[in-house]
Amino acid sequence: MSLDVPPALAEPVTRVRPWWIAALALANLGLFMGYLAPLQVLLPQQVAEVAPQSKEEALAWVAGIGALVAMVGNPIAGALSDRTTSRYGRRRPWMLAGGLLGGAALAFLAFQTSVVWIAAGWCLAQAALNSLQAAATAAVPDHVPVRQRGEVSGWIGIPQTLGVVLGVVLVTVVVSTTTSGYLLIAAIIPLLVLPFVLTAPDPRLPYKPKFTLASFWISPREHPDFFWAWITRFLMNLGNSVVLLYLLYFLQDAVGYERLFPGEQVADGLLLLILIYTAFAVLTTVTAGIISDRLGRRKTLVTVSGVISALPALALAFWPEWTVVMIGAGVLGVGFGVYMSVDNALVTQVLPAADGRAKDLGVINIASSGPQVVAPVIAGPIVAGLGGYPVLFLTSALLALLGASLVWKIRGVP
């Protein structure tokens, strides 16, 4: 280690321990339960209750505005975390604050009865949870050596998928109302963040790094690998987002789940799909991460994941049947299980500077939240009249394939 590089900014060389990975995984579980339980179940149900005649358009606005807040909030919180000189470190204070405020925002959201206030509550939740995410994401390049990042990204990716399952189970099985669902998730988030905040090392930064607004710009000339990593992630997530936004309504209106299974609710079908998706994602994500660490070839596996992820969308464009939907959930789980671990590891290898890790990862995370803003603009008109669900799924497949091909523009990573 160079004598003039503080420990907080040094490139990590020592493998992290299992307990460190487990604590960060728990924090990510709370984070993604906070994101995905509302997006998959609570927000659609709440919006359908307050605006039943325009639920599709209202949900698109609520989700889109919240994602816009996430796009702005994540890199800003990351930049502030990078420049935090607290004796408790750079990341832990932001993780604690994000967990507490995120829970409070969901508790507020639980009692709203108009689309405007639902949107306001979701924006507050997004701002807080993205502060948590910015700091938690930066912990990987802060502490994990390059040759372990695929494995660690895989273990962290599991909570991302489990967050959907546990969140949906809690808000559909454990509790019976939208209000109680919000309150339960609100209480769980800070509890899952605390183990990492209380136990993980977080070296103090002795000085504030230089900061400029221009550093938020992704220059294809100065940092081409960072630029193409961003584009790849944006397209892959956009392909996913255009479908997920209307998945509940697709099952209800196109597949006819409640007609096929009298006495069941469409949320029951959604839960089954999430369970299938999660099982296959969990089986592949850590394995793919370890393989990419050992082979050192991230781009090949990203391309494979994109092709696999496009297959279910192509099938559902022509066969919107329940059996095809279930098979597609499993195939998509394999594709995104591979993608999550490998792409997260790849991104950490193209960051422009050590003193801006959280900010730069926040910029990369715009490629995850940005599609939630763009997706309603694309998906809404398609579902409303420009071809319906078949065109929507074909669009999803095309976006995934395009993203998977552009990863080869990255030169500095095998």
Side-chain angles (χ1 to χ4, degrees), residues 157-214:
I158 289 176
Q160 184 171 341
T161 54
L162 284 180
V164 185
V165 174
L166 292 179
V168 172
V169 167
L170 289 174
V171 302
T172 59
V173 178
V174 176
V175 296
S176 58
T177 67
T178 302
T179 298
S180 57
Y182 276 122
L183 293 176
L184 181 58
I185 300 298
I188 288 174
I189 294 172
L191 293 178
L192 293 181
V193 171
L194 278 175
F196 188 85
V197 170
L198 295 177
T199 64
D202 191 6
R204 180 178 183 178
L205 188 67
Y207 61 86
K208 291 186 178 181
K210 182 180 178 181
F211 171 79
T212 63
L213 289 176

Coordinates of all heavy atoms in Angstrom, one line a residue, residues 157-214:
G157 N -26.5 -10.7 -4.6 CA -27.6 -10.8 -5.6 C -28.7 -11.7 -5.1 O -29.9 -11.5 -5.5
I158 N -28.4 -12.6 -4.3 CA -29.4 -13.5 -3.7 C -30.5 -12.7 -3.0 O -31.7 -12.9 -3.2 CB -28.8 -14.6 -2.9 CG1 -28.1 -15.6 -3.8 CG2 -29.9 -15.4 -2.1 CD1 -27.4 -16.7 -3.0
P159 N -30.1 -11.8 -2.0 CA -31.1 -11.0 -1.4 C -32.0 -10.2 -2.3 O -33.1 -9.8 -2.0 CB -30.3 -10.1 -0.4 CG -29.1 -10.9 -0.2 CD -28.8 -11.6 -1.5
Q160 N -31.4 -9.8 -3.4 CA -32.1 -9.0 -4.4 C -33.3 -9.8 -4.9 O -34.4 -9.2 -5.1 CB -31.2 -8.5 -5.5 CG -31.9 -7.6 -6.5 CD -30.9 -7.0 -7.5 OE1 -29.7 -7.0 -7.3 NE2 -31.5 -6.5 -8.6
T161 N -33.1 -11.1 -5.2 CA -34.2 -11.9 -5.6 C -35.1 -12.4 -4.5 O -36.3 -12.4 -4.6 CB -33.7 -13.1 -6.4 OG1 -32.7 -13.8 -5.6 CG2 -33.0 -12.6 -7.7
L162 N -34.4 -12.7 -3.3 CA -35.2 -13.1 -2.2 C -36.1 -12.0 -1.6 O -37.1 -12.2 -1.0 CB -34.3 -13.6 -1.1 CG -33.7 -15.0 -1.2 CD1 -32.8 -15.4 0.0 CD2 -34.8 -16.1 -1.4
G163 N -35.6 -10.8 -1.8 CA -36.4 -9.6 -1.4 C -37.8 -9.5 -2.0 O -38.7 -9.1 -1.4
V164 N -37.8 -10.0 -3.3 CA -39.1 -10.0 -3.9 C -40.0 -11.1 -3.2 O -41.2 -10.8 -2.9 CB -39.0 -10.4 -5.4 CG1 -40.3 -10.3 -6.1 CG2 -38.0 -9.4 -6.1
V165 N -39.5 -12.3 -3.1 CA -40.3 -13.4 -2.5 C -40.7 -13.0 -1.1 O -41.9 -13.1 -0.8 CB -39.4 -14.7 -2.5 CG1 -40.2 -15.8 -1.8 CG2 -39.1 -15.1 -3.9
L166 N -39.8 -12.7 -0.2 CA -40.1 -12.4 1.2 C -41.0 -11.2 1.3 O -42.0 -11.3 2.1 CB -38.8 -12.2 2.0 CG -37.9 -13.4 2.2 CD1 -36.7 -13.1 3.0 CD2 -38.7 -14.6 2.8
G167 N -40.8 -10.2 0.5 CA -41.6 -9.1 0.5 C -43.1 -9.4 0.1 O -44.0 -9.0 0.8
V168 N -43.2 -10.1 -1.0 CA -44.6 -10.5 -1.4 C -45.2 -11.4 -0.5 O -46.4 -11.3 -0.2 CB -44.5 -11.1 -2.8 CG1 -45.8 -11.6 -3.3 CG2 -44.0 -10.0 -3.9
V169 N -44.5 -12.4 0.1 CA -45.1 -13.3 1.1 C -45.6 -12.5 2.3 O -46.7 -12.7 2.8 CB -44.1 -14.4 1.5 CG1 -44.6 -15.1 2.7 CG2 -43.8 -15.4 0.4
L170 N -44.8 -11.6 2.8 CA -45.1 -10.9 4.0 C -46.4 -10.0 3.7 O -47.2 -9.9 4.6 CB -44.0 -10.0 4.4 CG -42.8 -10.7 5.0 CD1 -41.6 -9.7 5.3 CD2 -43.2 -11.4 6.3
V171 N -46.5 -9.4 2.6 CA -47.6 -8.5 2.4 C -48.8 -9.1 1.8 O -49.9 -8.5 1.7 CB -47.2 -7.3 1.5 CG1 -46.0 -6.5 2.1 CG2 -46.8 -7.7 0.0
T172 N -48.7 -10.4 1.4 CA -49.9 -11.1 0.9 C -50.4 -12.3 1.8 O -51.5 -12.6 1.8 CB -49.7 -11.7 -0.5 OG1 -48.6 -12.6 -0.5 CG2 -49.4 -10.6 -1.5
V173 N -49.5 -12.9 2.6 CA -49.8 -14.0 3.4 C -49.8 -13.7 4.9 O -50.7 -14.0 5.6 CB -48.8 -15.2 3.1 CG1 -49.1 -16.4 4.0 CG2 -48.9 -15.6 1.6
V174 N -48.7 -13.0 5.3 CA -48.6 -12.7 6.8 C -49.6 -11.7 7.2 O -50.2 -11.8 8.3 CB -47.1 -12.3 7.1 CG1 -47.0 -11.9 8.6 CG2 -46.2 -13.5 6.7
V175 N -49.7 -10.6 6.4 CA -50.7 -9.6 6.7 C -51.8 -9.6 5.6 O -51.6 -10.1 4.5 CB -50.0 -8.2 6.8 CG1 -49.0 -8.2 8.0 CG2 -49.3 -7.8 5.5
S176 N -52.8 -8.9 5.9 CA -54.0 -9.0 5.0 C -54.4 -7.7 4.4 O -55.3 -7.7 3.6 CB -55.2 -9.5 5.8 OG -55.5 -8.7 6.9
T177 N -53.8 -6.6 4.8 CA -54.2 -5.3 4.2 C -52.9 -4.6 3.6 O -51.8 -4.8 4.0 CB -54.8 -4.4 5.2 OG1 -53.9 -4.0 6.2 CG2 -56.0 -5.1 5.9
T178 N -53.2 -3.6 2.7 CA -52.1 -2.8 2.2 C -51.4 -2.0 3.3 O -50.2 -1.9 3.3 CB -52.6 -1.9 1.1 OG1 -53.3 -2.7 0.1 CG2 -51.5 -1.1 0.5
T179 N -52.2 -1.4 4.2 CA -51.6 -0.6 5.2 C -50.7 -1.4 6.1 O -49.6 -1.0 6.4 CB -52.8 0.0 6.1 OG1 -53.6 0.8 5.3 CG2 -52.2 0.8 7.2
S180 N -51.1 -2.6 6.6 CA -50.3 -3.4 7.4 C -49.1 -3.9 6.7 O -48.0 -4.1 7.3 CB -51.1 -4.6 8.0 OG -51.7 -5.4 7.0
G181 N -49.2 -4.1 5.4 CA -48.1 -4.6 4.6 C -47.0 -3.5 4.6 O -45.8 -3.8 4.8
Y182 N -47.4 -2.3 4.4 CA -46.4 -1.2 4.4 C -45.7 -1.1 5.8 O -44.5 -0.9 5.9 CB -47.1 0.2 4.1 CG -47.2 0.5 2.6 CD1 -48.5 0.7 2.1 CD2 -46.1 0.6 1.8 CE1 -48.7 1.0 0.7 CE2 -46.3 0.9 0.4 CZ -47.5 1.1 -0.1 OH -47.7 1.4 -1.4
L183 N -46.5 -1.2 6.8 CA -45.9 -1.0 8.2 C -45.0 -2.1 8.5 O -44.0 -1.9 9.2 CB -47.1 -0.9 9.2 CG -48.0 0.3 9.1 CD1 -49.1 0.2 10.1 CD2 -47.2 1.6 9.3
L184 N -45.3 -3.3 8.1 CA -44.4 -4.5 8.4 C -43.0 -4.3 7.6 O -42.0 -4.5 8.3 CB -45.1 -5.8 7.9 CG -44.3 -7.1 8.2 CD1 -44.0 -7.2 9.6 CD2 -45.0 -8.3 7.7
I185 N -43.1 -4.0 6.4 CA -41.8 -3.7 5.6 C -41.1 -2.6 6.2 O -39.8 -2.6 6.4 CB -42.1 -3.5 4.2 CG1 -42.8 -4.7 3.5 CG2 -40.8 -3.2 3.4 CD1 -42.1 -6.0 3.6
A186 N -41.8 -1.5 6.7 CA -41.1 -0.4 7.3 C -40.3 -0.7 8.5 O -39.3 -0.2 8.8 CB -42.2 0.7 7.6
A187 N -40.9 -1.6 9.3 CA -40.2 -2.1 10.5 C -39.0 -3.0 10.2 O -38.0 -2.9 11.0 CB -41.2 -2.8 11.5
I188 N -39.1 -3.8 9.2 CA -38.0 -4.8 8.9 C -36.8 -4.1 8.4 O -35.7 -4.6 8.7 CB -38.6 -5.8 7.9 CG1 -39.6 -6.7 8.7 CG2 -37.5 -6.7 7.3 CD1 -40.3 -7.7 7.8
I189 N -36.9 -3.1 7.5 CA -35.7 -2.5 6.8 C -34.6 -2.1 7.8 O -33.5 -2.6 7.7 CB -36.2 -1.3 6.0 CG1 -37.1 -1.8 4.8 CG2 -34.9 -0.6 5.4 CD1 -37.7 -0.7 4.0
P190 N -34.9 -1.3 8.8 CA -33.8 -0.9 9.7 C -33.2 -2.0 10.5 O -32.0 -2.1 10.8 CB -34.4 0.2 10.6 CG -35.8 0.0 10.5 CD -36.1 -0.5 9.1
L191 N -34.0 -3.0 10.8 CA -33.5 -4.2 11.6 C -32.5 -5.0 10.8 O -31.6 -5.5 11.4 CB -34.7 -5.0 12.0 CG -35.7 -4.5 13.0 CD1 -36.8 -5.4 13.3 CD2 -35.0 -4.1 14.3
L192 N -32.7 -5.1 9.5 CA -31.8 -5.8 8.7 C -30.5 -5.0 8.3 O -29.5 -5.6 8.0 CB -32.5 -6.3 7.4 CG -33.6 -7.3 7.6 CD1 -34.2 -7.7 6.2 CD2 -33.1 -8.5 8.3
V193 N -30.6 -3.7 8.4 CA -29.4 -2.9 8.1 C -28.5 -2.9 9.3 O -27.3 -2.8 9.1 CB -29.9 -1.5 7.7 CG1 -28.7 -0.5 7.6 CG2 -30.6 -1.5 6.4
L194 N -29.0 -2.9 10.5 CA -28.2 -2.7 11.7 C -27.0 -3.7 11.9 O -25.9 -3.2 12.3 CB -29.1 -2.9 12.9 CG -29.9 -1.6 13.3 CD1 -30.8 -1.9 14.5 CD2 -28.9 -0.4 13.6
P195 N -27.1 -5.0 11.6 CA -25.9 -5.8 11.7 C -24.7 -5.3 11.0 O -23.6 -5.4 11.6 CB -26.4 -7.2 11.2 CG -27.9 -7.2 11.4 CD -28.3 -5.8 11.2
F196 N -24.8 -4.9 9.8 CA -23.7 -4.4 9.0 C -23.2 -3.1 9.6 O -22.0 -2.9 9.8 CB -24.0 -4.2 7.6 CG -22.8 -3.9 6.7 CD1 -22.0 -4.9 6.2 CD2 -22.5 -2.6 6.4 CE1 -20.9 -4.6 5.4 CE2 -21.4 -2.3 5.6 CZ -20.6 -3.3 5.1
V197 N -24.1 -2.2 9.9 CA -23.7 -0.9 10.5 C -23.0 -1.0 11.8 O -22.0 -0.3 12.1 CB -25.0 0.0 10.7 CG1 -24.7 1.2 11.5 CG2 -25.6 0.3 9.3
L198 N -23.4 -2.0 12.6 CA -22.8 -2.1 14.0 C -21.5 -2.9 14.0 O -20.7 -2.8 14.9 CB -23.8 -2.8 14.9 CG -25.1 -2.0 15.2 CD1 -26.0 -2.8 16.1 CD2 -24.7 -0.6 15.8
T199 N -21.3 -3.8 13.0 CA -20.1 -4.7 13.0 C -19.1 -4.5 11.9 O -17.9 -4.9 12.1 CB -20.6 -6.1 13.0 OG1 -21.2 -6.4 11.7 CG2 -21.6 -6.4 14.1
A200 N -19.4 -4.0 10.8 CA -18.5 -3.9 9.7 C -17.5 -2.8 9.8 O -17.8 -1.7 10.2 CB -19.2 -3.8 8.4
P201 N -16.2 -3.0 9.5 CA -15.2 -2.0 9.6 C -15.5 -0.9 8.5 O -16.0 -1.3 7.4 CB -13.9 -2.7 9.3 CG -14.3 -3.9 8.6 CD -15.6 -4.3 9.1
D202 N -15.2 0.3 8.7 CA -15.4 1.4 7.8 C -14.4 2.5 8.1 O -14.6 3.4 8.8 CB -16.8 1.9 7.9 CG -17.2 2.8 6.8 OD1 -16.4 3.0 5.8 OD2 -18.3 3.4 6.8
P203 N -13.2 2.4 7.5 CA -12.1 3.3 7.8 C -12.5 4.8 7.6 O -13.2 5.1 6.6 CB -11.0 2.9 6.8 CG -11.3 1.5 6.5 CD -12.8 1.4 6.5
R204 N -12.1 5.6 8.5 CA -12.4 7.0 8.4 C -11.6 7.7 7.3 O -10.4 7.4 7.1 CB -12.1 7.7 9.7 CG -12.3 9.2 9.7 CD -12.1 9.8 11.1 NE -12.4 11.2 11.1 CZ -12.3 12.0 12.2 NH1 -11.8 11.5 13.4 NH2 -12.7 13.2 12.2
L205 N -12.2 8.5 6.6 CA -11.5 9.3 5.5 C -10.9 10.5 6.1 O -11.6 11.3 6.7 CB -12.5 9.7 4.4 CG -11.9 10.3 3.2 CD1 -11.1 9.3 2.4 CD2 -13.0 10.8 2.3
P206 N -9.6 10.8 6.0 CA -8.9 11.9 6.7 C -9.2 13.2 6.1 O -8.9 14.3 6.7 CB -7.4 11.5 6.7 CG -7.3 10.6 5.5 CD -8.6 9.9 5.4
Y207 N -9.7 13.3 4.8 CA -9.9 14.5 4.2 C -11.0 14.4 3.1 O -11.4 13.2 2.8 CB -8.6 15.0 3.4 CG -8.1 14.0 2.4 CD1 -8.7 14.1 1.1 CD2 -7.2 13.0 2.7 CE1 -8.2 13.2 0.1 CE2 -6.8 12.1 1.7 CZ -7.3 12.2 0.4 OH -6.9 11.3 -0.5
K208 N -11.6 15.5 2.7 CA -12.7 15.4 1.7 C -12.1 15.5 0.3 O -11.4 16.4 0.0 CB -13.6 16.6 1.9 CG -14.5 16.5 3.2 CD -15.5 17.6 3.3 CE -16.4 17.4 4.5 NZ -17.4 18.5 4.6
P209 N -12.3 14.5 -0.5 CA -11.8 14.5 -1.9 C -12.4 15.7 -2.7 O -13.5 16.2 -2.3 CB -12.3 13.2 -2.5 CG -12.6 12.3 -1.3 CD -13.1 13.3 -0.2
K210 N -11.7 16.1 -3.7 CA -12.2 17.1 -4.6 C -13.5 16.7 -5.2 O -13.7 15.6 -5.6 CB -11.1 17.4 -5.7 CG -11.5 18.6 -6.6 CD -10.4 18.8 -7.6 CE -10.8 19.9 -8.6 NZ -9.7 20.1 -9.6
F211 N -14.4 17.7 -5.4 CA -15.7 17.4 -5.9 C -16.1 18.4 -7.0 O -15.9 19.6 -6.8 CB -16.8 17.3 -4.8 CG -18.2 17.2 -5.3 CD1 -18.7 16.0 -5.7 CD2 -19.0 18.4 -5.4 CE1 -20.0 15.9 -6.2 CE2 -20.3 18.3 -5.9 CZ -20.8 17.1 -6.3
T212 N -16.6 18.0 -8.1 CA -17.1 18.8 -9.2 C -18.4 18.3 -9.7 O -18.5 17.0 -9.8 CB -16.1 19.0 -10.3 OG1 -15.8 17.8 -10.9 CG2 -14.7 19.6 -9.8
L213 N -19.2 19.1 -10.2 CA -20.5 18.7 -10.8 C -20.2 17.9 -12.1 O -20.9 17.0 -12.5 CB -21.4 19.9 -11.1 CG -22.0 20.5 -9.9 CD1 -22.8 21.7 -10.3 CD2 -22.9 19.5 -9.1
A214 N -19.1 18.3 -12.8 CA -18.7 17.6 -14.0 C -18.4 16.1 -13.8 O -18.5 15.3 -14.8 CB -17.5 18.3 -14.6

